[in-house]
Every structure is written in C-alpha cells, then in structure tokens.
Amino acid sequence: PLLAARLGGVTSVRDLQSSVASVLIGDEDTGCAGDVDLAQSPNVRYSDWGMRVLWTRLLSVFEAEYVNKAASRMDDSVARCFPAPPPAGLVDAQSTWAQRHNTKSDELQAVSTVPNRKLVASVVRSVGTELEMAKSDARLCTMVARAATRAISSFVATTKDRLLSVMDNPRVVDPCAATAHPMTRSVIGLINCVEALRVGISELCQPADQPLTAPAQSVLCTCRDELQTFINAQSDVLLDAADRAISQALLDVDNSSLWSHAEHALQWLQTQVLEPLDPRRSSRVHTMTDSYLTLFVHTVCVTMPLAETAKLRLASELPQLEFACSQAASTMGVRVTGDAYKSVRQMRPLLFMTSRELAQVLGERGAEWSSVSELDLLNHVVCRVATEEEAACVPHELLGCSRREWLGCVAGSEFVESTD
C-alpha cells in the first residue's frame, strides 16, 4: 500500500518490472509497453536512465519513512523534557503539601520549570544514536541531521517560552531585592539545559571514532552556533540587569546608602548568576568588572569633594570594591589585573597625600603612577581643594553640567596637552 500510494499503483515486483519496461521500451506516444516482462527484455540494463529514476524514487520513499521515524523518536525525547502540566487536583494537592511543610509555591514552581538534566542528556543520546545508524549513507545522514536540528529547535522554543513566562515577574531579575527570588535559579537552570545541549551537539560534530559527512557536520555546526547565540542572549538579560544596578549605585557613590546597593548587586551577580551559570561568559564579566573599577576611580577623582570624612570612607570602600570585583571575575576564571585594577590600588595612597606630594606626582609621573591617567590626576587635585561646604569647586559644578555628563565626557576622552 505504501508503494501504491507513492509510485502510482506499484504494489509488487511484477508491477515494478512493468513500470520499468513502460519507461524504457514503451511506445513514444503513450509511454506504455503493454504486458512486457522486464526479465525477458534483453534491451534493458540496470544502468539505464529509466531504471535509475525508478530506484531513486523508490529509495526516496523509504528514506522519507526512515527519517520520519527517526524524527519521531527525537521529538519524543524532547517532549519528555517538558511534560504536560499536572491536572488541577494534583496542583491543589501540591499547594496543600507546600503549606504543611512551609514551602513556598515559587520554590515548587522553580523545581517543575527546569527539565531534568538526565532527560536533557537523553536528547543528545537520541540524536547521537540516530546519526550513528544513518552514518553509512551520506544523504540519509544529512536528512537525519536536519531532523535533529528541528527537534532541538523545538526544545529551544519551549525553553524560550518558559523563560518569558518566568521573567514576566520583575522581581525574578532584580539585583537590588532584599532576598533573591527562587525563580532566578530557574532562569539559570533553563539556560544551563540549553548549554548542555550545545556541549552535546559540539561533541557530535567531532566524533572520536568515525567523522560525519561534511553536509551533516555543517548542519550540526550551524545548530550548535544557534544554541550559543541563544545562550548568550538569555544570559545577557541577567548580566545587563546586574550591570545597570551596579553602575547606577557607583554613579551615586557619594550617597552612603548607595554603596551598600552596589555591594548587594555585586553579591547577587556572583551568587545568583555567575556561580550556578554553566556557560563561561569570561570576556563579558571581565569587561563589566573593569568598567566598575574605572567608574569608581572616575567618580572619586572627578566628582567628589574630598573632605577628611569622605577620604576615610573611600579608603574603606575601595578595598571592598576591589575584592568584590575580584571574586565575581574569579567565578568565571578571570583575574582582575588590568589598568583599572591598578588604578584602584594607586588611588588609595593618593587620597592621603599632601598637596605638595600630589604636585610632585603630577610633575614627575613615574612608572608607578602610569595606570592613573593625567586627566584623572588633574581632576583629583581640583577635587582635593573642594570641601563639603564648597561644592562649587567640584569640576562639573564649575562647568555647569551634571555629574553624569561630566563622567561621560571624562570616560570617553583621552587627555591631550591642549585640554583646558
């Protein structure tokens, strides 16, 4: 019946023979040779064009059926990762159990949102098994690889829907919240599941025993790159939220309560995002920590009246910032040792230098002060003159611009000799 539907009524070997004969030796007008036995036709060869066409059509039918079965098995492995929601009665029972055991409903939801890692691993195994079975045929292997890509795309689409549903609550991604929301770990868990898929697909792209065909490998590599793009985009949502909160607090560091906000946001970044996050975002985290150190130095140098109380407070906050940034960076395997880090370390002795010592540093500019730009040193000297009661002496007040405008100007400018 399958052949009859796909090959126009061919249901037996006899019909195959008749069909081939009609193509090869049939009448030119009708294309029909009547009751001709292929085996008794000496003019028919298996290398003839008509025979190749027929067998190609026949193989295409079986290839399509095989790929459909393989795709169904891979889709089933994906579906097991995201089971249907429980019936209403079971949800009520779970809520009652949570109330009796003092468990928050958000914690139960967090557990049910993230797929089991063993089930995610089974998706990779299913894809690997199907590719291994089809590896002997290059065309079939490529078709199975495309089917695997569609199954993984379905996994990613479901994950994205769950992420959007979880992050509808603004408290889930709030670095300044008093306590971390339980669903924050669910966001990390969903990203980690996609990362596990990416790692598995990467291993399938380069099997140790027998490599895949070039077309199949190209399909899998494209799938792997798409997974990496998705992971970066979703983890950037968390990193951007932390970045905004920390930068905002450092811009207003003269308010004593805002330093605690910056410290709290840095701790949220480390404990709730970077430590449980499987993907390594080393470059992004290194850039973030460098920007915090640079921003703090600019804030100290450029916009703050440096009375004795302010200097004492800053002397205690600088090591805290340095330590917090180092801890966050080390979570991603990065060491904070660049110019921004050196500037923070050099700023502490500058806070307690006399005016004569500052003038000497500015005049000589020895190698030990090379990490602090000359523009920052000049502005620091101006800020040292200011006091709490004489805020008009601060550079941005003298120029009639806001703190943010002046910091943006300094951060985006390189010192030149013609600077006024």
Side-chain angles (χ1 to χ4, degrees), residues 177-240:
T179 57
H181 198 279
M183 294 301 291
T184 305
R185 288 300 181 98
S186 295
V187 175
I188 299 295
L190 289 169
I191 295 173
N192 287 344
C193 286
V194 181
E195 170 66 8
L197 268 184
R198 187 198 67 80
V199 172
I201 296 300
S202 298
E203 294 175 352
L204 293 177
C205 289
Q206 299 290 343
D209 50 356
Q210 182 180 355
L212 298 173
T213 60
Q217 189 172 0
S218 176
V219 171
L220 289 181
C221 289
T222 301
C223 177
R224 177 199 61 195
D225 295 341
E226 291 174 353
L227 290 175
Q228 185 64 66
T229 301
F230 176 82
I231 290 166
N232 291 345
Q234 298 304 322
S235 57
D236 279 342
V237 174
L238 299 170
L239 296 177
D240 289 344

Short mmCIF file of all heavy atoms in Angstrom, two decimals, residues 177-240:
data_model
loop_
_atom_site.label_atom_id
_atom_site.label_comp_id
_atom_site.label_asym_id
_atom_site.label_seq_id
_atom_site.Cartn_x
_atom_site.Cartn_y
_atom_site.Cartn_z
N ALA A 177 16.89 43.49 45.11
CA ALA A 177 15.90 42.94 46.03
C ALA A 177 16.57 42.48 47.32
O ALA A 177 17.72 42.04 47.31
CB ALA A 177 15.15 41.79 45.38
N ALA A 178 15.83 42.59 48.42
CA ALA A 178 16.40 42.22 49.72
C ALA A 178 16.79 40.74 49.75
O ALA A 178 17.85 40.37 50.28
CB ALA A 178 15.39 42.53 50.82
N THR A 179 15.96 39.88 49.17
CA THR A 179 16.26 38.45 49.08
C THR A 179 16.10 38.00 47.64
O THR A 179 15.23 38.50 46.91
CB THR A 179 15.33 37.62 49.98
OG1 THR A 179 13.96 37.89 49.62
CG2 THR A 179 15.53 37.98 51.45
N ALA A 180 16.93 37.07 47.24
CA ALA A 180 16.87 36.57 45.86
C ALA A 180 15.58 35.78 45.65
O ALA A 180 15.15 35.01 46.51
CB ALA A 180 18.08 35.71 45.57
N HIS A 181 14.97 35.97 44.50
CA HIS A 181 13.74 35.25 44.17
C HIS A 181 14.08 33.81 43.79
O HIS A 181 15.06 33.56 43.08
CB HIS A 181 13.04 35.95 43.00
CG HIS A 181 11.61 35.57 42.84
ND1 HIS A 181 11.22 34.41 42.22
CD2 HIS A 181 10.47 36.19 43.23
CE1 HIS A 181 9.90 34.33 42.22
NE2 HIS A 181 9.41 35.41 42.82
N PRO A 182 13.28 32.82 44.25
CA PRO A 182 13.59 31.42 43.91
C PRO A 182 13.61 31.14 42.42
O PRO A 182 14.36 30.28 41.95
CB PRO A 182 12.46 30.64 44.61
CG PRO A 182 11.96 31.54 45.68
CD PRO A 182 12.14 32.93 45.17
N MET A 183 12.80 31.87 41.65
CA MET A 183 12.73 31.62 40.22
C MET A 183 13.95 32.11 39.46
O MET A 183 14.12 31.79 38.28
CB MET A 183 11.46 32.26 39.64
CG MET A 183 10.17 31.64 40.14
SD MET A 183 10.04 29.89 39.77
CE MET A 183 9.85 29.93 37.99
N THR A 184 14.82 32.89 40.12
CA THR A 184 16.06 33.31 39.47
C THR A 184 16.90 32.08 39.11
O THR A 184 17.50 32.01 38.04
CB THR A 184 16.86 34.26 40.37
OG1 THR A 184 16.04 35.36 40.74
CG2 THR A 184 18.09 34.78 39.66
N ARG A 185 16.95 31.12 40.02
CA ARG A 185 17.69 29.89 39.75
C ARG A 185 17.03 29.08 38.62
O ARG A 185 17.71 28.33 37.92
CB ARG A 185 17.79 29.04 41.01
CG ARG A 185 18.73 29.61 42.06
CD ARG A 185 20.14 29.74 41.53
NE ARG A 185 21.09 30.25 42.50
CZ ARG A 185 21.90 29.49 43.22
NH1 ARG A 185 21.87 28.18 43.09
NH2 ARG A 185 22.74 30.05 44.07
N SER A 186 15.71 29.24 38.44
CA SER A 186 15.05 28.54 37.33
C SER A 186 15.51 29.10 35.99
O SER A 186 15.70 28.36 35.03
CB SER A 186 13.52 28.68 37.45
OG SER A 186 13.05 28.03 38.60
N VAL A 187 15.68 30.42 35.94
CA VAL A 187 16.19 31.04 34.72
C VAL A 187 17.58 30.48 34.40
O VAL A 187 17.87 30.10 33.26
CB VAL A 187 16.23 32.57 34.86
CG1 VAL A 187 16.88 33.21 33.64
CG2 VAL A 187 14.83 33.13 35.06
N ILE A 188 18.42 30.42 35.43
CA ILE A 188 19.77 29.86 35.23
C ILE A 188 19.69 28.39 34.82
O ILE A 188 20.43 27.92 33.94
CB ILE A 188 20.60 30.01 36.52
CG1 ILE A 188 20.75 31.50 36.88
CG2 ILE A 188 21.96 29.37 36.36
CD1 ILE A 188 21.53 32.29 35.89
N GLY A 189 18.78 27.64 35.45
CA GLY A 189 18.64 26.23 35.12
C GLY A 189 18.23 26.00 33.68
O GLY A 189 18.74 25.08 33.01
N LEU A 190 17.31 26.82 33.17
CA LEU A 190 16.89 26.68 31.78
C LEU A 190 18.03 27.00 30.82
O LEU A 190 18.22 26.32 29.81
CB LEU A 190 15.69 27.60 31.51
CG LEU A 190 14.37 27.17 32.16
CD1 LEU A 190 13.34 28.30 32.07
CD2 LEU A 190 13.82 25.91 31.52
N ILE A 191 18.80 28.03 31.14
CA ILE A 191 19.96 28.38 30.30
C ILE A 191 20.99 27.24 30.34
O ILE A 191 21.58 26.88 29.31
CB ILE A 191 20.59 29.70 30.76
CG1 ILE A 191 19.60 30.85 30.56
CG2 ILE A 191 21.88 29.99 30.02
CD1 ILE A 191 20.06 32.17 31.13
N ASN A 192 21.18 26.65 31.52
CA ASN A 192 22.14 25.55 31.64
C ASN A 192 21.71 24.33 30.83
O ASN A 192 22.55 23.58 30.31
CB ASN A 192 22.31 25.18 33.10
CG ASN A 192 23.11 26.21 33.87
OD1 ASN A 192 23.78 27.06 33.30
ND2 ASN A 192 23.03 26.16 35.20
N CYS A 193 20.39 24.09 30.73
CA CYS A 193 19.91 22.96 29.93
C CYS A 193 20.26 23.16 28.45
O CYS A 193 20.69 22.21 27.77
CB CYS A 193 18.40 22.81 30.09
SG CYS A 193 17.90 22.13 31.69
N VAL A 194 20.09 24.37 27.96
CA VAL A 194 20.46 24.63 26.56
C VAL A 194 21.97 24.52 26.39
O VAL A 194 22.46 24.04 25.37
CB VAL A 194 19.94 26.02 26.13
CG1 VAL A 194 20.31 26.29 24.68
CG2 VAL A 194 18.44 26.12 26.31
N GLU A 195 22.73 24.94 27.41
CA GLU A 195 24.18 24.79 27.34
C GLU A 195 24.57 23.32 27.29
O GLU A 195 25.50 22.93 26.56
CB GLU A 195 24.81 25.47 28.55
CG GLU A 195 26.30 25.21 28.74
CD GLU A 195 27.17 25.79 27.65
OE1 GLU A 195 26.65 26.53 26.79
OE2 GLU A 195 28.38 25.48 27.64
N ALA A 196 23.86 22.47 28.05
CA ALA A 196 24.15 21.03 28.00
C ALA A 196 23.88 20.47 26.60
O ALA A 196 24.64 19.63 26.10
CB ALA A 196 23.30 20.31 29.04
N LEU A 197 22.82 20.95 25.97
CA LEU A 197 22.55 20.54 24.59
C LEU A 197 23.67 20.99 23.65
O LEU A 197 24.12 20.24 22.78
CB LEU A 197 21.22 21.13 24.12
CG LEU A 197 19.95 20.30 24.30
CD1 LEU A 197 18.77 21.03 23.68
CD2 LEU A 197 20.10 18.94 23.67
N ARG A 198 24.12 22.24 23.84
CA ARG A 198 25.17 22.77 22.97
C ARG A 198 26.46 21.95 23.10
O ARG A 198 27.11 21.63 22.10
CB ARG A 198 25.45 24.23 23.31
CG ARG A 198 26.42 24.92 22.35
CD ARG A 198 26.99 26.18 22.96
NE ARG A 198 27.85 25.87 24.09
CZ ARG A 198 29.10 25.46 23.99
NH1 ARG A 198 29.66 25.28 22.81
NH2 ARG A 198 29.82 25.21 25.08
N VAL A 199 26.81 21.59 24.33
CA VAL A 199 28.02 20.80 24.54
C VAL A 199 27.86 19.42 23.89
O VAL A 199 28.80 18.92 23.24
CB VAL A 199 28.30 20.66 26.06
CG1 VAL A 199 29.43 19.68 26.31
CG2 VAL A 199 28.65 22.02 26.66
N GLY A 200 26.68 18.83 24.03
CA GLY A 200 26.46 17.52 23.42
C GLY A 200 26.52 17.57 21.90
O GLY A 200 27.12 16.69 21.26
N ILE A 201 25.93 18.59 21.31
CA ILE A 201 25.97 18.73 19.85
C ILE A 201 27.39 18.99 19.38
O ILE A 201 27.82 18.51 18.33
CB ILE A 201 25.01 19.85 19.40
CG1 ILE A 201 23.56 19.48 19.73
CG2 ILE A 201 25.15 20.11 17.91
CD1 ILE A 201 23.08 18.21 19.07
N SER A 202 28.15 19.76 20.15
CA SER A 202 29.55 20.02 19.79
C SER A 202 30.34 18.72 19.74
O SER A 202 31.20 18.53 18.87
CB SER A 202 30.18 20.99 20.79
OG SER A 202 29.53 22.24 20.77
N GLU A 203 30.09 17.83 20.69
CA GLU A 203 30.78 16.54 20.69
C GLU A 203 30.35 15.68 19.51
O GLU A 203 31.17 14.94 18.94
CB GLU A 203 30.51 15.81 22.01
CG GLU A 203 31.11 16.51 23.23
CD GLU A 203 30.71 15.84 24.53
OE1 GLU A 203 29.85 14.92 24.47
OE2 GLU A 203 31.23 16.24 25.59
N LEU A 204 29.09 15.77 19.11
CA LEU A 204 28.63 15.00 17.96
C LEU A 204 29.21 15.54 16.65
O LEU A 204 29.35 14.79 15.68
CB LEU A 204 27.10 15.03 17.88
CG LEU A 204 26.35 14.30 19.00
CD1 LEU A 204 24.85 14.47 18.83
CD2 LEU A 204 26.71 12.82 19.01
N CYS A 205 29.53 16.83 16.64
CA CYS A 205 30.12 17.41 15.43
C CYS A 205 31.50 16.82 15.14
O CYS A 205 31.94 16.76 13.99
CB CYS A 205 30.24 18.93 15.56
SG CYS A 205 28.67 19.79 15.50
N GLN A 206 32.21 16.41 16.18
CA GLN A 206 33.55 15.85 16.04
C GLN A 206 33.64 14.51 16.75
O GLN A 206 34.27 14.39 17.80
CB GLN A 206 34.60 16.82 16.62
CG GLN A 206 34.63 18.18 15.95
CD GLN A 206 35.19 18.11 14.53
OE1 GLN A 206 35.84 17.15 14.15
NE2 GLN A 206 34.93 19.14 13.75
N PRO A 207 32.98 13.47 16.24
CA PRO A 207 33.03 12.16 16.92
C PRO A 207 34.45 11.60 16.91
O PRO A 207 35.22 11.83 15.98
CB PRO A 207 32.07 11.29 16.09
CG PRO A 207 32.02 11.95 14.76
CD PRO A 207 32.19 13.42 15.00
N ALA A 208 34.77 10.86 17.95
CA ALA A 208 36.14 10.37 18.10
C ALA A 208 36.45 9.21 17.15
O ALA A 208 37.56 9.07 16.66
CB ALA A 208 36.37 9.92 19.54
N ASP A 209 35.45 8.36 16.87
CA ASP A 209 35.74 7.15 16.10
C ASP A 209 35.67 7.38 14.59
O ASP A 209 36.63 7.16 13.86
CB ASP A 209 34.78 6.03 16.51
CG ASP A 209 33.33 6.50 16.51
OD1 ASP A 209 33.09 7.70 16.27
OD2 ASP A 209 32.44 5.66 16.75
N GLN A 210 34.50 7.83 14.11
CA GLN A 210 34.31 7.98 12.67
C GLN A 210 33.61 9.31 12.41
O GLN A 210 32.50 9.54 12.87
CB GLN A 210 33.47 6.83 12.12
CG GLN A 210 33.27 6.89 10.60
CD GLN A 210 32.43 5.73 10.10
OE1 GLN A 210 32.08 4.84 10.88
NE2 GLN A 210 32.11 5.74 8.82
N PRO A 211 34.24 10.22 11.67
CA PRO A 211 33.63 11.55 11.47
C PRO A 211 32.37 11.47 10.62
O PRO A 211 32.19 10.57 9.80
CB PRO A 211 34.73 12.33 10.75
CG PRO A 211 35.57 11.28 10.09
CD PRO A 211 35.53 10.10 11.00
N LEU A 212 31.49 12.46 10.80
CA LEU A 212 30.30 12.56 9.99
C LEU A 212 30.66 13.08 8.61
O LEU A 212 31.74 13.62 8.38
CB LEU A 212 29.28 13.49 10.66
CG LEU A 212 28.75 13.09 12.03
CD1 LEU A 212 27.89 14.21 12.60
CD2 LEU A 212 27.93 11.81 11.92
N THR A 213 29.72 12.94 7.71
CA THR A 213 29.92 13.52 6.38
C THR A 213 29.91 15.05 6.49
O THR A 213 29.34 15.61 7.43
CB THR A 213 28.81 13.07 5.42
OG1 THR A 213 27.54 13.50 5.95
CG2 THR A 213 28.82 11.56 5.28
N ALA A 214 30.53 15.69 5.52
CA ALA A 214 30.65 17.16 5.57
C ALA A 214 29.28 17.85 5.62
O ALA A 214 29.10 18.79 6.40
CB ALA A 214 31.48 17.65 4.38
N PRO A 215 28.28 17.46 4.80
CA PRO A 215 26.97 18.14 4.90
C PRO A 215 26.31 17.98 6.27
O PRO A 215 25.77 18.93 6.82
CB PRO A 215 26.15 17.47 3.79
CG PRO A 215 27.15 16.93 2.83
CD PRO A 215 28.31 16.51 3.67
N ALA A 216 26.34 16.76 6.81
CA ALA A 216 25.74 16.53 8.13
C ALA A 216 26.47 17.32 9.21
O ALA A 216 25.85 17.91 10.11
CB ALA A 216 25.75 15.04 8.46
N GLN A 217 27.79 17.35 9.12
CA GLN A 217 28.57 18.11 10.09
C GLN A 217 28.27 19.60 10.00
O GLN A 217 28.18 20.29 11.02
CB GLN A 217 30.06 17.86 9.86
CG GLN A 217 30.96 18.42 10.95
CD GLN A 217 32.39 17.98 10.77
OE1 GLN A 217 32.71 17.25 9.84
NE2 GLN A 217 33.26 18.39 11.66
N SER A 218 28.08 20.10 8.79
CA SER A 218 27.74 21.51 8.61
C SER A 218 26.40 21.84 9.25
O SER A 218 26.23 22.89 9.88
CB SER A 218 27.73 21.84 7.12
OG SER A 218 27.31 23.17 6.90
N VAL A 219 25.43 20.94 9.09
CA VAL A 219 24.10 21.15 9.70
C VAL A 219 24.21 21.21 11.22
O VAL A 219 23.64 22.08 11.87
CB VAL A 219 23.13 20.04 9.25
CG1 VAL A 219 21.83 20.12 10.05
CG2 VAL A 219 22.85 20.15 7.76
N LEU A 220 24.96 20.28 11.81
CA LEU A 220 25.10 20.25 13.26
C LEU A 220 25.88 21.46 13.77
O LEU A 220 25.56 22.01 14.83
CB LEU A 220 25.80 18.97 13.69
CG LEU A 220 24.99 17.67 13.55
CD1 LEU A 220 25.80 16.49 14.04
CD2 LEU A 220 23.68 17.76 14.32
N CYS A 221 26.90 21.90 13.04
CA CYS A 221 27.67 23.07 13.46
C CYS A 221 26.80 24.34 13.45
O CYS A 221 26.91 25.19 14.33
CB CYS A 221 28.89 23.25 12.57
SG CYS A 221 30.18 22.02 12.82
N THR A 222 25.94 24.44 12.46
CA THR A 222 25.02 25.58 12.41
C THR A 222 24.06 25.55 13.61
O THR A 222 23.79 26.58 14.23
CB THR A 222 24.21 25.55 11.10
OG1 THR A 222 25.11 25.62 10.00
CG2 THR A 222 23.25 26.73 11.03
N CYS A 223 23.58 24.36 13.94
CA CYS A 223 22.71 24.20 15.11
C CYS A 223 23.44 24.59 16.39
O CYS A 223 22.90 25.28 17.25
CB CYS A 223 22.21 22.76 15.19
SG CYS A 223 21.19 22.39 16.62
N ARG A 224 24.70 24.15 16.51
CA ARG A 224 25.50 24.49 17.68
C ARG A 224 25.68 26.00 17.81
O ARG A 224 25.56 26.56 18.91
CB ARG A 224 26.85 23.81 17.57
CG ARG A 224 27.84 24.13 18.69
CD ARG A 224 29.25 23.80 18.25
NE ARG A 224 29.63 24.58 17.08
CZ ARG A 224 30.68 24.30 16.32
NH1 ARG A 224 31.44 23.27 16.57
NH2 ARG A 224 30.96 25.07 15.27
N ASP A 225 25.96 26.68 16.71
CA ASP A 225 26.15 28.13 16.75
C ASP A 225 24.86 28.86 17.13
O ASP A 225 24.89 29.86 17.85
CB ASP A 225 26.64 28.63 15.39
CG ASP A 225 28.03 28.08 15.04
OD1 ASP A 225 28.74 27.65 15.97
OD2 ASP A 225 28.38 28.09 13.84
N GLU A 226 23.74 28.35 16.65
CA GLU A 226 22.45 28.96 17.02
C GLU A 226 22.17 28.78 18.52
O GLU A 226 21.63 29.69 19.16
CB GLU A 226 21.33 28.34 16.19
CG GLU A 226 21.39 28.72 14.71
CD GLU A 226 20.35 27.99 13.89
OE1 GLU A 226 19.68 27.09 14.45
OE2 GLU A 226 20.21 28.32 12.69
N LEU A 227 22.53 27.63 19.06
CA LEU A 227 22.37 27.42 20.50
C LEU A 227 23.25 28.39 21.28
O LEU A 227 22.82 28.96 22.31
CB LEU A 227 22.74 25.98 20.86
CG LEU A 227 21.77 24.89 20.38
CD1 LEU A 227 22.34 23.51 20.71
CD2 LEU A 227 20.41 25.06 21.03
N GLN A 228 24.48 28.62 20.82
CA GLN A 228 25.38 29.56 21.50
C GLN A 228 24.81 30.98 21.46
O GLN A 228 24.88 31.71 22.46
CB GLN A 228 26.75 29.53 20.83
CG GLN A 228 27.81 30.39 21.54
CD GLN A 228 28.10 29.89 22.94
OE1 GLN A 228 28.64 28.80 23.10
NE2 GLN A 228 27.76 30.67 23.95
N THR A 229 24.24 31.36 20.35
CA THR A 229 23.62 32.69 20.24
C THR A 229 22.46 32.84 21.22
O THR A 229 22.32 33.88 21.88
CB THR A 229 23.13 32.92 18.80
OG1 THR A 229 24.23 32.82 17.89
CG2 THR A 229 22.49 34.29 18.66
N PHE A 230 21.64 31.80 21.33
CA PHE A 230 20.51 31.83 22.26
C PHE A 230 21.01 31.93 23.71
O PHE A 230 20.48 32.72 24.51
CB PHE A 230 19.67 30.57 22.09
CG PHE A 230 18.53 30.45 23.05
CD1 PHE A 230 17.33 31.11 22.82
CD2 PHE A 230 18.65 29.69 24.21
CE1 PHE A 230 16.28 31.00 23.73
CE2 PHE A 230 17.62 29.58 25.11
CZ PHE A 230 16.42 30.24 24.87
N ILE A 231 22.04 31.16 24.05
CA ILE A 231 22.57 31.18 25.41
C ILE A 231 23.12 32.56 25.75
O ILE A 231 22.86 33.10 26.84
CB ILE A 231 23.67 30.11 25.55
CG1 ILE A 231 23.06 28.71 25.50
CG2 ILE A 231 24.46 30.29 26.86
CD1 ILE A 231 24.06 27.61 25.30
N ASN A 232 23.87 33.15 24.84
CA ASN A 232 24.42 34.49 25.08
C ASN A 232 23.32 35.52 25.27
O ASN A 232 23.41 36.39 26.15
CB ASN A 232 25.33 34.90 23.93
CG ASN A 232 26.61 34.09 23.87
OD1 ASN A 232 26.98 33.41 24.84
ND2 ASN A 232 27.30 34.13 22.75
N ALA A 233 22.28 35.44 24.43
CA ALA A 233 21.19 36.42 24.52
C ALA A 233 20.45 36.31 25.85
O ALA A 233 20.13 37.33 26.48
CB ALA A 233 20.22 36.22 23.36
N GLN A 234 20.19 35.09 26.32
CA GLN A 234 19.44 34.92 27.56
C GLN A 234 20.28 35.24 28.79
O GLN A 234 19.79 35.83 29.75
CB GLN A 234 18.90 33.48 27.65
CG GLN A 234 17.94 33.12 26.54
CD GLN A 234 16.75 34.06 26.44
OE1 GLN A 234 16.21 34.51 27.45
NE2 GLN A 234 16.34 34.36 25.23
N SER A 235 21.56 34.86 28.77
CA SER A 235 22.40 35.20 29.92
C SER A 235 22.69 36.69 29.97
O SER A 235 22.89 37.26 31.05
CB SER A 235 23.71 34.41 29.87
OG SER A 235 24.40 34.64 28.65
N ASP A 236 22.68 37.35 28.80
CA ASP A 236 22.88 38.81 28.79
C ASP A 236 21.75 39.54 29.50
O ASP A 236 21.96 40.64 30.01
CB ASP A 236 22.99 39.32 27.35
CG ASP A 236 24.39 39.13 26.77
OD1 ASP A 236 25.34 38.93 27.57
OD2 ASP A 236 24.54 39.17 25.54
N VAL A 237 20.56 38.96 29.52
CA VAL A 237 19.45 39.59 30.24
C VAL A 237 19.80 39.73 31.72
O VAL A 237 19.59 40.78 32.36
CB VAL A 237 18.15 38.77 30.05
CG1 VAL A 237 17.03 39.33 30.93
CG2 VAL A 237 17.73 38.77 28.59
N LEU A 238 20.35 38.67 32.31
CA LEU A 238 20.74 38.70 33.72
C LEU A 238 21.95 39.61 33.94
O LEU A 238 21.98 40.41 34.89
CB LEU A 238 21.07 37.29 34.19
CG LEU A 238 19.93 36.27 34.11
CD1 LEU A 238 20.45 34.87 34.37
CD2 LEU A 238 18.82 36.61 35.08
N LEU A 239 22.94 39.51 33.06
CA LEU A 239 24.14 40.33 33.22
C LEU A 239 23.83 41.81 33.03
O LEU A 239 24.38 42.66 33.74
CB LEU A 239 25.21 39.87 32.22
CG LEU A 239 25.73 38.45 32.42
CD1 LEU A 239 26.73 38.10 31.33
CD2 LEU A 239 26.36 38.27 33.79
N ASP A 240 22.94 42.12 32.09
CA ASP A 240 22.57 43.53 31.87
C ASP A 240 21.85 44.11 33.09
O ASP A 240 22.06 45.27 33.45
CB ASP A 240 21.69 43.65 30.64
CG ASP A 240 22.45 43.42 29.34
OD1 ASP A 240 23.68 43.47 29.38
OD2 ASP A 240 21.80 43.18 28.30
#
